Amino acid sequence: MAKDTPPNHYEILGVAPGASLEEISQAYRKLAKQLHPDEGGPAGLFRQIVLARSVLSDPGRRAEYDRQLAGPRHQPAQESTRQAHERAASEREAREREVQAREARQREARERESRLAAEARQRALLARQQARRTTVVTAGVACLALVVFSIVLVSRRDARRELGAGGPAAGSTAGPSDRLTAAFGWSNSDVCQLKADGYHVVGDAGTCLSSIEFTDGDITVDVRTVVGGLAGIAFRVSDTTTYCFQILPTGEWSLQSSGVSAMRPVTPLVSNAAIVTGDGARNTLRVHARGARFEFFANGVKLGEAQDDAYREGTLGLFGYTLMGSPNEIVFSNLRVTDE
């Protein structure tokens, strides 16, 4: 059985033997774009396309090739010119279908990757939103817990006054120098620990109160986060109410107010690059209060201000609170208070 005659250059390019140079160039560009090896086309077929275009684009070589093609070696035994064209067209259509199928597979792969990336971004967004909701609730609960705890401490302080404890702890007014000593009512316990390097507040809900009375003026304190959660200054603390200025390990700050059974955000949580974050971070916090107007600072940078006239007087406290179950230890030092 005789083998099929290989396709000639005209059949490879899919053009008629009398095709013009422009038709040959157009056919070549179309096939080269579809069947280039970089696009997944067969390398052998691409070489045949390049050779066919090279021969048929050169008038001298094309004339010689046409003479050879007309000889007995290149005449199909039973195939007419029309049949040759039909076969070339069928092969061209098959190649086009292959290109279209490959492009469809590539498009589906890109759409799948895009969909998976969008789903991953959505999951990350939901996780951040949940973490923020947890942070907001935790920040408010910290202030509420401080009020509840202050009821116990104020009751104990009043009892000591009745017994004649005397001294600064029985109702100190603040001066500008460091006031983190037992003489100013700061307790020394498992949670609130007076040490040589400062006042350590440890545990899930560390709340430490003093007998320093504060209405209007400046409060400044250095804060070192050994490990853990939020930290802050409580001011105008009474046995039922307080304000809590707090910074979070997320680089955010807020002012909360709280009564015995309810907490209320005076400001939302706001991010600020002046707040140093991470374990070992050191920040200097400052509160300036005058009547119903408050200003808040971190490391000499003003974070913001607030207006609220709910509570007018009380004492000072410091607190540290765990965030989402993480360990917590905050060290306060160089507490400076100036009354106006």
Side-chain angles (χ1 to χ4, degrees), residues 4-316:
D4 292 338
T5 302
N8 60 44
H9 292 338
Y10 296 100
E11 293 169 346
I12 289 172
L13 295 179
V15 299
S20 66
L21 288 176
E22 179 62 23
E23 290 173 332
I24 290 171
S25 296
Q26 290 178 353
Y28 167 77
R29 286 195 295 269
K30 181 178 180 180
L31 292 174
K33 182 178 180 180
Q34 293 176 344
L35 299 174
H36 195 283
D38 290 346
E39 298 296 329
L45 179 57
F46 184 75
R47 285 194 294 270
Q48 293 180 27
I49 293 170
V50 172
L51 176 61
R53 184 251 188 181
S54 175
V55 171
L56 299 182
S57 297
D58 186 315
R61 295 176 66 188
R62 180 176 180 180
E64 177 63 24
Y65 180 76
D66 287 344
R67 285 193 295 271
Q68 294 177 1
L69 196 63
R73 296 187 296 117
H74 296 279
Q75 290 292 339
Q78 298 179 344
E79 186 175 49
S80 66
T81 301
R82 187 183 66 182
Q83 290 172 326
H85 288 172
E86 290 175 349
R87 186 179 67 174
S90 176
E91 292 174 349
R92 186 165 59 251
E93 291 174 357
R95 291 193 295 269
E96 290 176 351
R97 287 194 297 271
E98 180 183 351
V99 171
Q100 292 172 355
R102 183 171 65 251
E103 291 176 346
R105 291 193 297 271
Q106 292 173 345
R107 184 168 56 254
E108 291 174 357
R110 289 193 297 269
E111 291 174 351
R112 183 172 60 254
E113 291 175 358
S114 178
R115 185 174 62 255
L116 293 175
E119 292 173 355
R121 289 193 297 271
Q122 181 65 20
R123 288 194 298 271
L125 175 61
L126 292 175
R128 289 195 300 270
Q129 290 174 342
Q130 179 60 39
R132 185 168 180 80
R133 284 193 293 268
T134 302
T135 299
V136 171
V137 171
T138 301
V141 169
C143 197
L144 179 61
L146 191 147
V147 170
V148 174
F149 188 66
S150 71
I151 296 173
V152 177
L153 293 187
V154 170
S155 298
R156 291 177 179 174
R157 187 187 64 197
D158 291 343
R160 288 198 303 270
R161 287 179 179 176
E162 291 179 2
L163 292 175
S172 302
T173 58
S177 59
D178 190 5
R179 288 295 182 263
L180 279 175
T181 66
F184 290 90
W186 298 104
S187 62
N188 195 6
S189 64
D190 291 340
V191 174
C192 309
Q193 302 172 4
L194 286 165
K195 296 184 178 181
D197 63 337
Y199 198 36
H200 290 242
V201 180
V202 298
D204 293 343
T207 302
C208 307
L209 300 177
S210 74
S211 59
I212 300 174
E213 296 175 358
F214 180 81
T215 301
D216 292 330
D218 262 16
I219 309 166
T220 305
V221 68
D222 295 336
V223 183
R224 176 166 60 93
T225 302
V226 178
V227 62
L230 61 85
I233 302 170
F235 61 98
R236 295 183 181 173
V237 181
S238 73
D239 57 355
T240 57
T241 60
T242 188
Y243 288 116
C244 297
F245 166 47
Q246 53 205 0
I247 59 171
L248 282 72
T250 54
E252 297 169 298
W253 72 276
S254 72
L255 176 66
Q256 301 271 337
S257 72
S258 184
V260 174
S261 60
M263 56 189 178
R264 175 175 59 89
V266 181
T267 69
L269 285 172
V270 180
S271 296
N272 195 294
I275 300 172
V276 182
T277 61
D279 291 346
R282 296 175 182 269
N283 291 278
T284 298
L285 303 184
R286 177 187 166 210
V287 176
H288 180 257
R290 187 173 184 82
R293 184 171 181 270
F294 309 118
E295 294 178 296
F296 304 98
F297 302 81
N299 304 310
V301 176
K302 185 175 179 178
L303 304 178
E305 57 186 52
Q307 293 272 350
D308 194 87
D309 61 356
Y311 317 132
R312 290 290 184 165
E313 60 184 7
T315 58
L316 294 184

Side-chain angles (χ1 to χ4, degrees), residues 3 138 205 320 340:
K3 295 183 178 179
T138 301
E340 291 185 356

